Amino acid sequence: MRFKVHAFLALTLVSVVVALVTGVPFDKIVPTILGGFGSTLAGVALLVGLGAMIGRLLEISGGAKVLADTLVGKFGSHRAPLALGVASLLFGFPIFFDAGLVVMLPIIFSVAKQFGGSTLKYALPAAGAFAVMHALLPPHPGPVAASELLGANIGLLVIVGLVIAIPTWYLGAYLFGLYAGKKFEVPLPSSFLGNVEADPNHQPPSFGTVLSILLLPLVLIFLDTGLNTATVLGWVSADNTVVQFLRMLGKTPIALLITVFFALAVFSGRHSRQHLEKVCDGALGPICGIILVTGAGGMFGGVLRASGIGDALAGVLSDTGMPVIVAAFVISTALRVAQGSATVALTTTAALISPMVAATPGLSQFDLCFIVVAIAGGATVLSHVNDSGFWLVGRFLEMDEKTTLKTWTVMETLIGSIAFLFALVGSIIL
């Protein structure tokens, strides 16, 4: 930030320097860097590329405007950010944060374009909704893994997580989003979705058609997340061929690939195949920078994991004699800050404190659920430059690093802290 070095170069340089300073062996530095970069790209590149195609197809067809108009018509123009947030909460139950964000972006930008004002006013309530659902609720991988490690009941965790998630989102994402929209003027992105006019010569698709395109990946992804939960609970066998096939269809890249071809089939009657091919090609160019910077953030996180900084911090904190629920939040926060990944912080903290939980007498199922929520809260706070989500949001909205820290990082910290406070109060009352 100080020397105005491009984020991709800065993150690559810092990754090398941190690896040297923390004593990673010389012959392991390049493989560690490439491993962190590659593993992040593996999760992000396909997803963002396919999501961008879906978004651009919805945009040029007029579908995004149809959905935005319908949502705003139901909630009223003055409640447009609330409408986007509620839609994202519903979509966010089965779909992961980054997948949900890229699918919702064209709708967010269409609403922002229609009503004006800072894009943050519309984007943060929606992004915060996906973040809250991803952190607190099964069937997302973090809370499922943590509940399994601590012996919490997943069904009860869904109820507890939902009761905490809704006010947490309202206070930490929706109200903060309105505040940030007034304080920070972030215009519509100039090079990505939201500034493409629909072709006036073609009839826009119906609301039902647009909704089917948006719901298809959610239904498919729920095949994977729902069946994963079912196998953890022992309802179905993980070795069943049909279960494995359905879960494969529900993996996010496959679900989005199917959705792209479904959208192409739906819109082929309205546009020529050559035009649709150009639309898909045009969707990929502007996102290359987003993908590379996001991968570099994952590279930095990978180096920090290899350095052992997170494990060392967690080891020190686990012996402080704090109450279990407070220790869970603090250790998870330390791991989150040190290495960036919320899912890694969640699962690692649950594994670290599981002996502490087992040795603590009198913990009810409610207490175990509140501990999982506390871990999830710690794994959400202080998203910064080693978190790929930080770069994903910042680059999609074309914000500089300072603005991203003042908006996205603050919102994530509010969400995590509020969720922890609700869990702490719940554990005291119940």
Side-chain angles (χ1 to χ4, degrees):
M1 284 187 284
R2 171 68 180 83
F3 296 103
K4 305 299 181 190
V5 179
H6 190 278
F8 179 68
L9 293 173
L11 285 164
T12 306
L13 175 63
V14 168
S15 297
V16 174
V17 171
V18 169
L20 288 168
V21 169
T22 55
V24 176
F26 294 130
D27 61 334
K28 301 289 184 188
I29 288 177
V30 172
T32 300
I33 286 171
L34 294 180
F37 186 71
S39 63
T40 303
L41 285 190
V44 169
L46 265 177
L47 188 153
V48 172
L50 293 168
M53 286 183 177
I54 294 168
R56 188 58 62 95
L57 287 167
L58 284 173
E59 192 65 34
I60 61 101
S61 67
K65 188 174 187 306
V66 167
L67 188 64
D69 289 345
T70 305
L71 280 172
V72 171
K74 295 289 184 185
F75 281 81
S77 59
H78 60 293
R79 294 198 187 96
L82 181 65
L84 291 169
V86 170
S88 300
L89 283 172
L90 294 172
F91 288 173
F93 183 75
I95 199 170
F96 293 176
F97 166 77
D98 35 13
L101 187 64
V102 295
V103 171
M104 276 295 288
L105 276 173
I107 291 95
I108 292 168
F109 292 149
S110 288
V111 173
K113 186 176 183 180
Q114 185 173 345
F115 295 106
S118 175
T119 308
L120 286 176
K121 176 181 171 183
Y122 309 96
L124 288 185
F130 286 117
V132 165
M133 300 301 271
H134 188 73
L136 298 182
L137 280 178
H140 294 279
V144 168
S147 63
E148 182 71 9
L149 286 164
L150 298 181
N153 182 288
I154 287 187
L156 184 62
L157 180 60
V158 170
I159 297 169
V160 170
L162 198 57
V163 168
I164 291 177
I166 292 172
T168 296
W169 165 78
Y170 185 81
L171 296 171
Y174 174 65
L175 293 182
F176 177 74
L178 297 182
Y179 164 77
K182 293 176 182 176
K183 188 170 176 62
F184 301 95
E185 185 57 43
V186 174
L188 274 169
S190 58
S191 60
F192 195 52
L193 307 171
N195 292 332
V196 182
E197 292 293 342
D199 189 339
N201 298 319
H202 293 278
Q203 183 71 21
S206 67
F207 174 72
T209 300
V210 177
L211 200 60
S212 67
I213 292 171
L214 286 176
L215 289 178
L216 179 59
L218 305 183
V219 172
L220 290 171
I221 288 167
F222 191 68
L223 281 177
D224 178 36
T225 53
L227 286 171
N228 178 54
T229 304
T231 56
V232 170
L233 294 172
W235 295 345
V236 295
S237 171
D239 299 324
N240 185 292
T241 305
V242 175
V243 170
Q244 291 176 348
F245 175 71
L246 292 175
R247 288 197 63 189
M248 184 272 292
L249 291 181
K251 297 298 182 188
T252 305
I254 302 295
L256 291 178
L257 179 66
I258 292 170
T259 305
V260 170
F261 279 104
F262 176 68
L264 287 170
V266 167
F267 296 135
S268 61
R270 296 180 172 88
H271 305 272
S272 69
R273 291 181 182 178
Q274 291 84 353
H275 178 65
L276 292 175
E277 183 194 0
K278 286 182 181 177
V279 169
C280 290
D281 184 55
L284 296 179
I287 63 167
C288 290
I290 294 170
I291 290 172
L292 285 173
V293 172
T294 302
M299 177 203 304
F300 185 33
V303 168
L304 290 171
R305 283 192 286 279
S307 72
I309 288 172
D311 293 337
L313 272 173
V316 170
L317 290 167
S318 61
D319 297 325
T320 56
M322 289 182 283
V324 176
I325 192 167
V326 177
F329 176 74
V330 173
I331 292 169
S332 183
T333 299
L335 285 166
R336 162 69 156 173
V337 172
Q339 53 77 43
S341 168
T343 302
V344 169
L346 243 164
T347 52
T348 306
T349 303
L352 278 167
I353 71 160
S354 58
M356 197 189 309
V357 169
T360 304
L363 290 177
S364 67
Q365 276 297 328
F366 275 111
D367 289 323
L368 294 178
C369 289
F370 288 131
I371 290 169
V372 171
V373 171
I375 296 172
T380 303
V381 303
L382 294 170
S383 167
H384 64 101
V385 295
N386 61 5
D387 177 20
S388 59
F390 174 90
W391 296 106
L392 203 64
V393 172
R395 284 299 177 264
F396 269 135
L397 299 181
E398 294 184 359
M399 296 189 292
D400 60 28
E401 289 80 11
K402 278 187 179 179
T403 308
T404 312
L405 284 166
K406 290 176 179 177
T407 55
W408 169 251
T409 302
V410 172
M411 184 186 75
E412 283 277 85
T413 304
L414 282 171
I415 288 171
S417 302
I418 291 167
F420 165 65
L421 289 173
F422 277 130
L424 184 63
V425 171
S427 70
I428 294 169
I429 294 172
L430 299 176

